[in-house]
Amino acid sequence: MFRLIENRKAANPFYHERISTHLYTIEELCYFLETHTYLIDHDWMGEELFAWLERELQYKELAGKLRQLYRNTKDVFQCAELILRASGSYGEQDLERIHGLLEAMKGKTGMERRKMRGDLLLDEKKYRQAAYIYMELLQPDYARQMTEELRGNIMHNLGVVYARLFLFPEAAKMFAGAYHLRKNDQTRQAYLCAMNYQGEDDSLEEQGMDLNFAAMRDALNYLTEISDRPEYYVERRKASQAAEAFDWKSKQEELVSRWKSEYKNMMA
């Protein structure tokens, strides 16, 4: 495999409305391909990109190989992998990982690929980024275009994100909605677990969901910041233990009983 000369910067960046990003170097292109695999399609992975690589970065050999590969296979993911390998920026282990990801993307719809990106972020514990992708996909314009199974899978994974951020009421709503769509035992168990943590009496039939993107995003922004600081949970645990030890309910009943007794004595 030939290796490209690095640190070349284009005078005119590559830009396509589909990707909404200005790319100046092969390194930026590779980073985009690795982190936005769900956006790779025939709209921009084609002659326009190949001509830019040849004209602006003087990668004539790479452009020629890409044209030949694209002409023979029409496989945009193979073209992406060729660019990544030629850049020399990745070791074999990383290339194998990316190869597996690109192979998994083949034959998937745009929404399925975007969900896969969210799943990868979830696996990497990048909960906020994963949540943004899932919440966007659950917006009405997207949700109407997908199967109930796919929508249920997205809701389940968003529930997992919420649970890992200690947002158990929100997690329970997502799990409940997902269960209605796909009747999965794993989702049911996750729902019951989330309900146990929030300590509320609710049922699958009574759940109500609010998928307002702005409200969910704002709540997630605020509560994610809290969840990243373990001292909050230490203090919350202490407060919870103190509240349980104090037994507010019994104290309240005792106080009300004393008030009633004092009132009766006063009126006697």
Side-chain angles (χ1 to χ4, degrees), residues 149-205:
E149 181 180 6
L150 178 58
R151 191 160 73 253
N153 290 340
I154 293 170
M155 294 179 74
H156 175 92
N157 286 5
L158 181 55
V160 172
V161 170
Y162 283 142
R164 291 183 182 177
L165 293 173
F166 302 95
L167 306 178
F168 295 112
E170 291 82 358
K173 286 183 178 181
M174 286 298 109
F175 290 137
Y179 184 79
H180 278 300
L181 293 171
R182 64 180 202 161
K183 296 293 187 296
N184 181 282
D185 285 342
Q186 182 186 19
T187 299
R188 179 176 179 276
Q189 290 297 325
Y191 167 81
L192 294 173
C193 182
M195 289 301 297
N196 179 64
Y197 273 103
Q198 67 172 320
E200 295 181 4
D201 185 17
D202 201 352
S203 68
L204 292 175
E205 288 73 27

Short mmCIF file of all heavy atoms in Angstrom, two decimals, residues 149-205:
data_model
loop_
_atom_site.label_atom_id
_atom_site.label_comp_id
_atom_site.label_asym_id
_atom_site.label_seq_id
_atom_site.Cartn_x
_atom_site.Cartn_y
_atom_site.Cartn_z
N GLU A 149 -39.86 -1.78 15.62
CA GLU A 149 -38.75 -2.48 16.27
C GLU A 149 -37.54 -1.57 16.41
O GLU A 149 -36.92 -1.52 17.48
CB GLU A 149 -38.36 -3.72 15.46
CG GLU A 149 -37.21 -4.51 16.10
CD GLU A 149 -36.82 -5.74 15.31
OE1 GLU A 149 -37.36 -5.92 14.20
OE2 GLU A 149 -35.97 -6.51 15.79
N LEU A 150 -37.21 -0.83 15.34
CA LEU A 150 -36.07 0.07 15.41
C LEU A 150 -36.33 1.18 16.42
O LEU A 150 -35.45 1.52 17.22
CB LEU A 150 -35.79 0.68 14.03
CG LEU A 150 -34.64 1.70 13.97
CD1 LEU A 150 -33.34 1.07 14.46
CD2 LEU A 150 -34.48 2.25 12.56
N ARG A 151 -37.54 1.74 16.41
CA ARG A 151 -37.88 2.79 17.37
C ARG A 151 -37.80 2.25 18.80
O ARG A 151 -37.30 2.93 19.71
CB ARG A 151 -39.27 3.36 17.09
CG ARG A 151 -39.58 4.62 17.88
CD ARG A 151 -40.71 5.41 17.27
NE ARG A 151 -42.01 4.78 17.46
CZ ARG A 151 -42.72 4.17 16.53
NH1 ARG A 151 -42.24 4.11 15.29
NH2 ARG A 151 -43.90 3.65 16.79
N GLY A 152 -38.27 1.02 19.01
CA GLY A 152 -38.19 0.42 20.33
C GLY A 152 -36.75 0.21 20.78
O GLY A 152 -36.41 0.43 21.94
N ASN A 153 -35.89 -0.21 19.85
CA ASN A 153 -34.48 -0.40 20.18
C ASN A 153 -33.81 0.92 20.57
O ASN A 153 -32.99 0.97 21.49
CB ASN A 153 -33.74 -1.02 18.99
CG ASN A 153 -34.15 -2.46 18.74
OD1 ASN A 153 -34.69 -3.12 19.63
ND2 ASN A 153 -33.92 -2.95 17.53
N ILE A 154 -34.15 1.98 19.85
CA ILE A 154 -33.59 3.30 20.16
C ILE A 154 -34.06 3.76 21.53
O ILE A 154 -33.27 4.27 22.34
CB ILE A 154 -33.98 4.32 19.08
CG1 ILE A 154 -33.30 3.96 17.75
CG2 ILE A 154 -33.60 5.74 19.50
CD1 ILE A 154 -33.82 4.75 16.57
N MET A 155 -35.35 3.57 21.82
CA MET A 155 -35.89 3.98 23.12
C MET A 155 -35.24 3.19 24.25
O MET A 155 -34.95 3.73 25.32
CB MET A 155 -37.41 3.83 23.13
CG MET A 155 -38.12 4.77 22.19
SD MET A 155 -39.92 4.56 22.19
CE MET A 155 -40.32 5.31 23.76
N HIS A 156 -35.03 1.91 24.02
CA HIS A 156 -34.38 1.09 25.04
C HIS A 156 -32.98 1.61 25.33
O HIS A 156 -32.59 1.76 26.51
CB HIS A 156 -34.30 -0.37 24.58
CG HIS A 156 -33.54 -1.25 25.53
ND1 HIS A 156 -34.13 -1.96 26.55
CD2 HIS A 156 -32.20 -1.52 25.63
CE1 HIS A 156 -33.22 -2.62 27.22
NE2 HIS A 156 -32.04 -2.38 26.68
N ASN A 157 -32.22 1.91 24.28
CA ASN A 157 -30.84 2.37 24.48
C ASN A 157 -30.80 3.75 25.12
O ASN A 157 -29.90 4.04 25.91
CB ASN A 157 -30.09 2.36 23.15
CG ASN A 157 -29.73 0.95 22.71
OD1 ASN A 157 -30.12 -0.02 23.35
ND2 ASN A 157 -29.01 0.84 21.63
N LEU A 158 -31.77 4.60 24.78
CA LEU A 158 -31.84 5.90 25.46
C LEU A 158 -32.16 5.70 26.94
O LEU A 158 -31.64 6.41 27.80
CB LEU A 158 -32.89 6.79 24.80
CG LEU A 158 -33.05 8.20 25.40
CD1 LEU A 158 -31.71 8.94 25.42
CD2 LEU A 158 -34.08 9.00 24.60
N GLY A 159 -33.00 4.71 27.24
CA GLY A 159 -33.26 4.37 28.63
C GLY A 159 -32.00 3.94 29.35
O GLY A 159 -31.78 4.30 30.52
N VAL A 160 -31.14 3.18 28.67
CA VAL A 160 -29.86 2.77 29.26
C VAL A 160 -29.00 3.99 29.56
O VAL A 160 -28.39 4.09 30.64
CB VAL A 160 -29.12 1.81 28.32
CG1 VAL A 160 -27.70 1.53 28.83
CG2 VAL A 160 -29.89 0.50 28.17
N VAL A 161 -28.96 4.94 28.63
CA VAL A 161 -28.19 6.17 28.85
C VAL A 161 -28.71 6.88 30.09
O VAL A 161 -27.93 7.28 30.98
CB VAL A 161 -28.29 7.10 27.62
CG1 VAL A 161 -27.71 8.48 27.95
CG2 VAL A 161 -27.56 6.50 26.44
N TYR A 162 -30.02 7.07 30.18
CA TYR A 162 -30.59 7.77 31.33
C TYR A 162 -30.28 7.05 32.63
O TYR A 162 -29.93 7.67 33.63
CB TYR A 162 -32.11 7.89 31.17
CG TYR A 162 -32.55 8.97 30.21
CD1 TYR A 162 -33.65 8.76 29.37
CD2 TYR A 162 -31.89 10.17 30.14
CE1 TYR A 162 -34.07 9.74 28.50
CE2 TYR A 162 -32.30 11.16 29.26
CZ TYR A 162 -33.39 10.94 28.45
OH TYR A 162 -33.80 11.92 27.58
N ALA A 163 -30.40 5.72 32.63
CA ALA A 163 -30.14 4.95 33.85
C ALA A 163 -28.70 5.13 34.30
O ALA A 163 -28.42 5.25 35.50
CB ALA A 163 -30.46 3.48 33.62
N ARG A 164 -27.78 5.15 33.34
CA ARG A 164 -26.36 5.30 33.71
C ARG A 164 -26.02 6.71 34.16
O ARG A 164 -24.99 6.95 34.76
CB ARG A 164 -25.48 4.88 32.53
CG ARG A 164 -25.57 3.39 32.26
CD ARG A 164 -24.66 2.94 31.15
NE ARG A 164 -24.80 1.51 30.90
CZ ARG A 164 -24.17 0.86 29.95
NH1 ARG A 164 -23.33 1.51 29.14
NH2 ARG A 164 -24.36 -0.43 29.77
N LEU A 165 -26.94 7.65 33.87
CA LEU A 165 -26.78 9.02 34.35
C LEU A 165 -27.62 9.26 35.61
O LEU A 165 -27.80 10.40 36.03
CB LEU A 165 -27.19 10.02 33.25
CG LEU A 165 -26.28 10.06 32.03
CD1 LEU A 165 -26.87 10.94 30.95
CD2 LEU A 165 -24.89 10.54 32.40
N PHE A 166 -28.15 8.17 36.18
CA PHE A 166 -28.96 8.22 37.40
C PHE A 166 -30.30 8.93 37.19
O PHE A 166 -30.92 9.39 38.15
CB PHE A 166 -28.19 8.90 38.55
CG PHE A 166 -26.89 8.23 38.87
CD1 PHE A 166 -25.70 8.67 38.32
CD2 PHE A 166 -26.84 7.14 39.72
CE1 PHE A 166 -24.50 8.05 38.60
CE2 PHE A 166 -25.65 6.50 40.01
CZ PHE A 166 -24.47 6.95 39.44
N LEU A 167 -30.75 9.04 35.95
CA LEU A 167 -32.04 9.67 35.65
C LEU A 167 -33.09 8.56 35.55
O LEU A 167 -33.59 8.24 34.48
CB LEU A 167 -31.95 10.47 34.35
CG LEU A 167 -30.83 11.51 34.28
CD1 LEU A 167 -30.81 12.19 32.93
CD2 LEU A 167 -30.98 12.53 35.39
N PHE A 168 -33.44 7.98 36.70
CA PHE A 168 -34.27 6.78 36.67
C PHE A 168 -35.71 7.01 36.23
O PHE A 168 -36.28 6.17 35.54
CB PHE A 168 -34.21 6.09 38.04
CG PHE A 168 -32.84 5.59 38.36
CD1 PHE A 168 -32.09 6.16 39.38
CD2 PHE A 168 -32.26 4.57 37.62
CE1 PHE A 168 -30.81 5.71 39.67
CE2 PHE A 168 -30.97 4.12 37.88
CZ PHE A 168 -30.25 4.69 38.91
N PRO A 169 -36.37 8.14 36.58
CA PRO A 169 -37.73 8.36 36.03
C PRO A 169 -37.73 8.43 34.51
O PRO A 169 -38.61 7.85 33.86
CB PRO A 169 -38.15 9.69 36.67
CG PRO A 169 -37.34 9.78 37.92
CD PRO A 169 -36.01 9.16 37.58
N GLU A 170 -36.75 9.14 33.95
CA GLU A 170 -36.67 9.24 32.49
C GLU A 170 -36.35 7.88 31.88
O GLU A 170 -36.88 7.51 30.82
CB GLU A 170 -35.59 10.26 32.09
CG GLU A 170 -35.93 11.70 32.41
CD GLU A 170 -35.64 12.06 33.86
OE1 GLU A 170 -35.22 11.17 34.64
OE2 GLU A 170 -35.84 13.24 34.22
N ALA A 171 -35.47 7.13 32.54
CA ALA A 171 -35.13 5.79 32.06
C ALA A 171 -36.36 4.90 32.05
O ALA A 171 -36.61 4.16 31.08
CB ALA A 171 -34.04 5.17 32.94
N ALA A 172 -37.16 4.96 33.12
CA ALA A 172 -38.35 4.12 33.20
C ALA A 172 -39.33 4.44 32.07
O ALA A 172 -39.93 3.53 31.48
CB ALA A 172 -39.04 4.32 34.56
N LYS A 173 -39.48 5.71 31.74
CA LYS A 173 -40.38 6.09 30.64
C LYS A 173 -39.90 5.52 29.31
O LYS A 173 -40.70 5.03 28.51
CB LYS A 173 -40.48 7.61 30.54
CG LYS A 173 -41.31 8.24 31.65
CD LYS A 173 -41.42 9.75 31.43
CE LYS A 173 -42.28 10.38 32.50
NZ LYS A 173 -42.43 11.84 32.31
N MET A 174 -38.59 5.60 29.09
CA MET A 174 -38.06 5.07 27.84
C MET A 174 -38.22 3.56 27.76
O MET A 174 -38.61 3.02 26.73
CB MET A 174 -36.58 5.45 27.70
CG MET A 174 -36.33 6.90 27.37
SD MET A 174 -37.04 7.38 25.78
CE MET A 174 -38.38 8.41 26.36
N PHE A 175 -37.91 2.86 28.84
CA PHE A 175 -38.05 1.41 28.85
C PHE A 175 -39.51 0.99 28.66
O PHE A 175 -39.81 0.02 27.96
CB PHE A 175 -37.51 0.82 30.15
CG PHE A 175 -36.02 0.90 30.28
CD1 PHE A 175 -35.43 1.29 31.48
CD2 PHE A 175 -35.19 0.60 29.21
CE1 PHE A 175 -34.05 1.36 31.61
CE2 PHE A 175 -33.81 0.67 29.32
CZ PHE A 175 -33.24 1.06 30.53
N ALA A 176 -40.42 1.73 29.30
CA ALA A 176 -41.84 1.41 29.16
C ALA A 176 -42.31 1.58 27.73
O ALA A 176 -43.01 0.73 27.17
CB ALA A 176 -42.67 2.29 30.10
N GLY A 177 -41.92 2.71 27.11
CA GLY A 177 -42.29 2.94 25.71
C GLY A 177 -41.69 1.89 24.79
O GLY A 177 -42.34 1.41 23.85
N ALA A 178 -40.43 1.52 25.06
CA ALA A 178 -39.77 0.49 24.24
C ALA A 178 -40.47 -0.85 24.39
O ALA A 178 -40.64 -1.58 23.41
CB ALA A 178 -38.30 0.37 24.65
N TYR A 179 -40.92 -1.18 25.60
CA TYR A 179 -41.59 -2.46 25.83
C TYR A 179 -42.90 -2.55 25.07
O TYR A 179 -43.26 -3.60 24.54
CB TYR A 179 -41.84 -2.65 27.32
CG TYR A 179 -42.43 -4.01 27.65
CD1 TYR A 179 -41.62 -5.14 27.71
CD2 TYR A 179 -43.80 -4.16 27.87
CE1 TYR A 179 -42.15 -6.38 28.00
CE2 TYR A 179 -44.34 -5.39 28.16
CZ TYR A 179 -43.51 -6.50 28.22
OH TYR A 179 -44.05 -7.73 28.49
N HIS A 180 -43.62 -1.45 24.99
CA HIS A 180 -44.87 -1.43 24.22
C HIS A 180 -44.62 -1.75 22.75
O HIS A 180 -45.47 -2.33 22.07
CB HIS A 180 -45.55 -0.07 24.33
CG HIS A 180 -46.35 0.10 25.59
ND1 HIS A 180 -47.41 -0.72 25.91
CD2 HIS A 180 -46.24 0.99 26.60
CE1 HIS A 180 -47.92 -0.34 27.07
NE2 HIS A 180 -47.23 0.70 27.51
N LEU A 181 -43.45 -1.38 22.25
CA LEU A 181 -43.16 -1.55 20.84
C LEU A 181 -42.54 -2.90 20.51
O LEU A 181 -42.72 -3.42 19.41
CB LEU A 181 -42.21 -0.44 20.37
CG LEU A 181 -42.80 0.98 20.38
CD1 LEU A 181 -41.70 2.00 20.10
CD2 LEU A 181 -43.91 1.12 19.35
N ARG A 182 -41.80 -3.50 21.46
CA ARG A 182 -41.08 -4.71 21.08
C ARG A 182 -41.21 -5.87 22.07
O ARG A 182 -40.67 -6.95 21.82
CB ARG A 182 -39.59 -4.40 20.86
CG ARG A 182 -38.86 -3.93 22.10
CD ARG A 182 -37.42 -3.66 21.79
NE ARG A 182 -36.59 -3.72 23.01
CZ ARG A 182 -35.29 -3.87 23.00
NH1 ARG A 182 -34.64 -3.97 21.86
NH2 ARG A 182 -34.61 -3.93 24.13
N LYS A 183 -41.95 -5.68 23.19
CA LYS A 183 -42.27 -6.76 24.13
C LYS A 183 -41.05 -7.65 24.41
O LYS A 183 -41.08 -8.86 24.26
CB LYS A 183 -43.41 -7.61 23.58
CG LYS A 183 -44.72 -6.86 23.44
CD LYS A 183 -45.26 -6.46 24.79
CE LYS A 183 -46.67 -5.85 24.67
NZ LYS A 183 -46.70 -4.60 23.92
N ASN A 184 -39.96 -7.01 24.83
CA ASN A 184 -38.71 -7.70 25.06
C ASN A 184 -38.49 -7.87 26.56
O ASN A 184 -38.64 -6.93 27.34
CB ASN A 184 -37.57 -6.87 24.44
CG ASN A 184 -36.22 -7.51 24.60
OD1 ASN A 184 -35.63 -7.43 25.68
ND2 ASN A 184 -35.72 -8.13 23.55
N ASP A 185 -38.13 -9.10 27.00
CA ASP A 185 -37.94 -9.37 28.42
C ASP A 185 -36.82 -8.53 29.02
O ASP A 185 -36.90 -8.09 30.17
CB ASP A 185 -37.64 -10.86 28.65
CG ASP A 185 -38.88 -11.72 28.51
OD1 ASP A 185 -40.00 -11.17 28.59
OD2 ASP A 185 -38.75 -12.94 28.31
N GLN A 186 -35.77 -8.29 28.23
CA GLN A 186 -34.67 -7.48 28.72
C GLN A 186 -35.15 -6.06 29.02
O GLN A 186 -34.77 -5.46 30.04
CB GLN A 186 -33.54 -7.45 27.69
CG GLN A 186 -32.32 -6.66 28.14
CD GLN A 186 -31.27 -6.53 27.05
OE1 GLN A 186 -31.56 -6.71 25.87
NE2 GLN A 186 -30.05 -6.21 27.43
N THR A 187 -36.00 -5.52 28.14
CA THR A 187 -36.53 -4.18 28.35
C THR A 187 -37.44 -4.15 29.57
O THR A 187 -37.43 -3.21 30.36
CB THR A 187 -37.30 -3.71 27.10
OG1 THR A 187 -36.40 -3.67 26.00
CG2 THR A 187 -37.89 -2.33 27.31
N ARG A 188 -38.24 -5.19 29.73
CA ARG A 188 -39.14 -5.26 30.90
C ARG A 188 -38.34 -5.28 32.19
O ARG A 188 -38.67 -4.58 33.17
CB ARG A 188 -40.02 -6.51 30.80
CG ARG A 188 -40.98 -6.69 31.97
CD ARG A 188 -41.87 -7.90 31.74
NE ARG A 188 -42.76 -8.09 32.87
CZ ARG A 188 -42.43 -8.75 33.98
NH1 ARG A 188 -41.23 -9.29 34.09
NH2 ARG A 188 -43.29 -8.88 34.97
N GLN A 189 -37.26 -6.08 32.23
CA GLN A 189 -36.43 -6.13 33.43
C GLN A 189 -35.76 -4.78 33.69
O GLN A 189 -35.65 -4.35 34.84
CB GLN A 189 -35.37 -7.23 33.27
CG GLN A 189 -35.91 -8.65 33.31
CD GLN A 189 -36.56 -8.99 34.63
OE1 GLN A 189 -36.12 -8.53 35.69
NE2 GLN A 189 -37.62 -9.78 34.58
N ALA A 190 -35.33 -4.12 32.63
CA ALA A 190 -34.70 -2.81 32.78
C ALA A 190 -35.70 -1.80 33.33
O ALA A 190 -35.37 -0.96 34.18
CB ALA A 190 -34.15 -2.33 31.44
N TYR A 191 -36.95 -1.89 32.85
CA TYR A 191 -38.01 -0.99 33.34
C TYR A 191 -38.25 -1.20 34.83
O TYR A 191 -38.30 -0.25 35.61
CB TYR A 191 -39.30 -1.24 32.57
CG TYR A 191 -40.52 -0.60 33.21
CD1 TYR A 191 -40.79 0.75 33.01
CD2 TYR A 191 -41.38 -1.34 34.01
CE1 TYR A 191 -41.89 1.34 33.61
CE2 TYR A 191 -42.47 -0.76 34.60
CZ TYR A 191 -42.73 0.58 34.41
OH TYR A 191 -43.82 1.16 35.00
N LEU A 192 -38.37 -2.45 35.24
CA LEU A 192 -38.63 -2.76 36.64
C LEU A 192 -37.47 -2.31 37.52
O LEU A 192 -37.67 -1.81 38.64
CB LEU A 192 -38.88 -4.26 36.81
CG LEU A 192 -40.15 -4.80 36.13
CD1 LEU A 192 -40.20 -6.32 36.23
CD2 LEU A 192 -41.40 -4.18 36.76
N CYS A 193 -36.26 -2.46 37.01
CA CYS A 193 -35.08 -2.02 37.75
C CYS A 193 -35.10 -0.51 37.93
O CYS A 193 -34.85 0.00 39.03
CB CYS A 193 -33.82 -2.46 37.02
SG CYS A 193 -32.29 -2.02 37.86
N ALA A 194 -35.40 0.22 36.86
CA ALA A 194 -35.45 1.69 36.94
C ALA A 194 -36.54 2.14 37.90
O ALA A 194 -36.35 3.08 38.68
CB ALA A 194 -35.68 2.28 35.55
N MET A 195 -37.70 1.48 37.86
CA MET A 195 -38.79 1.83 38.76
C MET A 195 -38.40 1.55 40.21
O MET A 195 -38.76 2.30 41.12
CB MET A 195 -40.04 1.03 38.40
CG MET A 195 -40.70 1.46 37.11
SD MET A 195 -41.21 3.20 37.10
CE MET A 195 -42.42 3.19 38.41
N ASN A 196 -37.65 0.49 40.43
CA ASN A 196 -37.21 0.16 41.79
C ASN A 196 -36.30 1.26 42.34
O ASN A 196 -36.41 1.64 43.50
CB ASN A 196 -36.48 -1.17 41.78
CG ASN A 196 -35.97 -1.57 43.15
OD1 ASN A 196 -36.75 -1.78 44.06
ND2 ASN A 196 -34.66 -1.67 43.29
N TYR A 197 -35.42 1.80 41.48
CA TYR A 197 -34.51 2.83 41.94
C TYR A 197 -35.22 4.14 42.22
O TYR A 197 -34.81 4.88 43.12
CB TYR A 197 -33.40 3.07 40.90
CG TYR A 197 -32.23 2.15 41.07
CD1 TYR A 197 -32.05 1.06 40.23
CD2 TYR A 197 -31.31 2.35 42.09
CE1 TYR A 197 -30.98 0.21 40.39
CE2 TYR A 197 -30.23 1.50 42.26
CZ TYR A 197 -30.08 0.43 41.40
OH TYR A 197 -29.02 -0.41 41.57
N GLN A 198 -36.26 4.46 41.46
CA GLN A 198 -36.94 5.72 41.73
C GLN A 198 -38.01 5.56 42.81
O GLN A 198 -38.52 6.54 43.33
CB GLN A 198 -37.55 6.31 40.46
CG GLN A 198 -38.70 5.50 39.87
CD GLN A 198 -39.37 6.25 38.74
OE1 GLN A 198 -39.54 7.46 38.84
NE2 GLN A 198 -39.73 5.56 37.69
N GLY A 199 -38.35 4.33 43.13
CA GLY A 199 -39.23 4.09 44.26
C GLY A 199 -40.64 4.59 44.07
O GLY A 199 -41.29 5.03 45.02
N GLU A 200 -41.16 4.55 42.86
CA GLU A 200 -42.52 5.00 42.60
C GLU A 200 -43.37 3.84 42.15
O GLU A 200 -42.89 2.91 41.52
CB GLU A 200 -42.53 6.09 41.53
CG GLU A 200 -41.84 7.36 41.97
CD GLU A 200 -41.90 8.42 40.88
OE1 GLU A 200 -42.55 8.15 39.85
OE2 GLU A 200 -41.31 9.48 41.06
N ASP A 201 -44.66 3.91 42.46
CA ASP A 201 -45.58 2.86 42.04
C ASP A 201 -46.17 3.25 40.70
O ASP A 201 -46.95 4.18 40.59
CB ASP A 201 -46.69 2.70 43.09
CG ASP A 201 -47.61 1.54 42.74
OD1 ASP A 201 -47.21 0.69 41.91
OD2 ASP A 201 -48.71 1.49 43.28
N ASP A 202 -45.79 2.57 39.66
CA ASP A 202 -46.25 2.89 38.32
C ASP A 202 -46.39 1.60 37.56
O ASP A 202 -46.01 0.55 38.03
CB ASP A 202 -45.23 3.81 37.62
CG ASP A 202 -45.84 4.59 36.48
OD1 ASP A 202 -47.00 4.31 36.13
OD2 ASP A 202 -45.14 5.45 35.93
N SER A 203 -46.94 1.65 36.37
CA SER A 203 -47.07 0.45 35.56
C SER A 203 -46.82 0.78 34.11
O SER A 203 -46.84 1.94 33.71
CB SER A 203 -48.48 -0.14 35.70
OG SER A 203 -49.43 0.72 35.11
N LEU A 204 -46.60 -0.23 33.29
CA LEU A 204 -46.35 -0.02 31.87
C LEU A 204 -47.53 0.67 31.22
O LEU A 204 -47.38 1.48 30.32
CB LEU A 204 -46.08 -1.36 31.20
CG LEU A 204 -44.76 -2.04 31.60
CD1 LEU A 204 -44.68 -3.40 30.95
CD2 LEU A 204 -43.57 -1.20 31.20
N GLU A 205 -48.74 0.32 31.64
CA GLU A 205 -49.91 0.87 30.99
C GLU A 205 -50.14 2.33 31.33
O GLU A 205 -50.76 3.08 30.57
CB GLU A 205 -51.16 0.07 31.40
CG GLU A 205 -51.22 -1.33 30.79
CD GLU A 205 -50.23 -2.27 31.44
OE1 GLU A 205 -49.88 -2.03 32.61
OE2 GLU A 205 -49.79 -3.23 30.78
#
